Amino acid sequence: MVLRPLGLGDLLTGVPAIRAVRAAVPDHRLVLATTEALRPLAGLIDAVDEVLPARELEPLDWSGPPPEVAVDLHGKGPASHVIVADLRPERLLTFDSPGYPGPTWYADEHEVRRWCRLVSEGLGVDADPDALDLAAPAGPPPASGVTVVHPGAAHPGRRWPPARFAAVARHLAAQGHDVRITGGPAEVELARTVASVAGLGEEAVLAGRTSSLELAAVVAAARLVVCGDTGVAHLASAYRRPSVVLFGPVSPALWGPPARAGLGGGALHAVLWHGDVHQGTGDPWGTELDPALAAITVDEVIEALHALPAAV
């Protein structure tokens, strides 16, 4: 049993560690405890046999016998450790915290490598941080070969201004891209604003019109992705789609995409960040635009786009 009931980006950055658990116990049934909202996407992870709906830091509705192995991929504990320990597994794998021995937690470690190290040290198996790939959803995507512009983020501190996203979308459309503005149900008005300012029609707005699986399918078949530090950035990594990702309060050294080259050479994922604006890490849950994110200009994004392999 593996615990990971967080957001989309959290789920996707945990995929290499989940695959390593599968490699360590190949004959076991692997149950992933994650949120109900992420159940469809969790079903695309080839290492997972069953998805157990879970809520963050709440007891699991576990009706089976104690698992042979339980792995806390939620946090450094002890609050999340208790949830997996209460299942009384034969073996419990957690980071070190009072009452729970395990590997040391390092605050400056990349999220993917952190969980890979936990599994590697705890179960004695190699864990490949680049094993981020996700199966594409079955069936044709709602849109194929489009350029995805995703202006939303969970918190205002990580949302680049809509007018700047619109300027980028306008530039891409002028370059011949079929631009689509994506987002969740709560981001429909934001997406419409970006599309309108960019001079795009209502048909360009996919926000609120796609399920999580349909959004994944759009990204999997996309020509290019432009977004902030969000789950969509991790979908672009999972499907190896060229992307430009804008970082603000959090360093890409902690959450950035993997260093990969495109088929024609050059970086597959471009990262923009003005970390020198901060004296330290900003607030990823901030209610105001982060200064480091605000420092990124439209011209910088366009220049990064032109540097991507066959993107523009």
Side-chain angles (χ1 to χ4, degrees):
M1 200 288 301
V2 177
L3 180 71
R4 190 74 170 164
L6 294 162
L8 173 58
D10 303 282
L11 173 66
L12 297 179
T13 53
V15 168
I18 295 169
R19 286 203 169 101
V21 173
R22 161 62 71 208
V25 286
D27 298 328
H28 288 58
R29 182 169 182 80
L30 195 151
V31 178
L32 172 64
T34 192
T35 65
E36 180 64 35
L38 290 176
R39 181 202 287 263
L41 292 173
L44 300 176
I45 304 172
D46 55 9
V48 173
D49 296 308
E50 180 183 342
V51 178
L52 176 68
R55 295 170 297 278
E56 186 174 0
L57 297 181
E58 293 188 21
L60 295 173
D61 185 16
W62 180 271
S63 58
E68 293 187 38
V69 180
V71 185
D72 180 6
L73 294 188
H74 181 283
K76 61 182 178 180
S80 59
H81 296 355
V82 173
I83 294 170
V84 286
D86 281 350
L87 303 182
R88 301 187 181 281
E90 294 182 19
R91 185 172 184 186
L92 177 63
L93 182 57
T94 69
F95 276 109
D96 181 63
S97 70
Y100 297 93
T104 301
W105 173 282
Y106 300 119
D108 60 351
E109 189 170 22
H110 191 283
E111 185 73 1
V112 174
R113 294 185 177 276
R114 166 181 293 130
W115 302 112
C116 282
R117 180 172 60 86
L118 173 68
V119 176
S120 180
E121 293 185 16
L123 298 180
V125 64
D126 290 336
D128 180 7
D130 198 43
L132 294 160
D133 301 81
L134 199 65
S144 182
V146 302
T147 289
V148 171
V149 174
H150 187 86
H155 299 278
R158 289 188 276 131
R159 293 181 202 144
W160 203 46
R164 298 190 204 179
F165 270 116
V168 172
R170 186 185 310 114
H171 171 83
L172 288 165
Q175 295 288 318
H177 288 244
D178 183 0
V179 179
R180 304 299 173 95
I181 315 299
T182 58
E187 297 168 334
V188 173
E189 289 307 313
L190 170 62
R192 286 175 174 165
T193 297
V194 171
S196 175
V197 175
L200 304 175
E202 180 66 23
E203 69 279 357
V205 178
L206 292 183
R209 295 165 49 194
T210 57
S211 67
S212 59
L213 276 180
E214 288 171 331
L215 176 59
V218 169
V219 173
R223 175 179 178 181
L224 175 68
V225 176
V226 184
C227 64
D229 175 18
T230 70
V232 167
H234 298 287
L235 280 174
S237 295
Y239 291 121
R240 298 177 182 258
R241 306 317 303 147
S243 66
V244 174
V245 185
L246 286 59
F247 278 81
V250 177
S251 167
L254 301 178
W255 284 88
R260 289 170 170 167
L263 294 177
L268 188 61
H269 309 293
V271 171
L272 297 177
W273 186 55
H274 289 287
D276 55 329
V277 171
H278 292 302
Q279 296 301 314
T281 301
D283 181 6
W285 303 281
T287 57
E288 301 292 336
L289 176 63
D290 183 81
L293 184 57
I296 299 174
T297 67
V298 170
D299 287 344
E300 282 181 276
V301 176
I302 291 174
E303 182 179 352
L305 287 166
H306 281 275
L308 291 177
V312 178

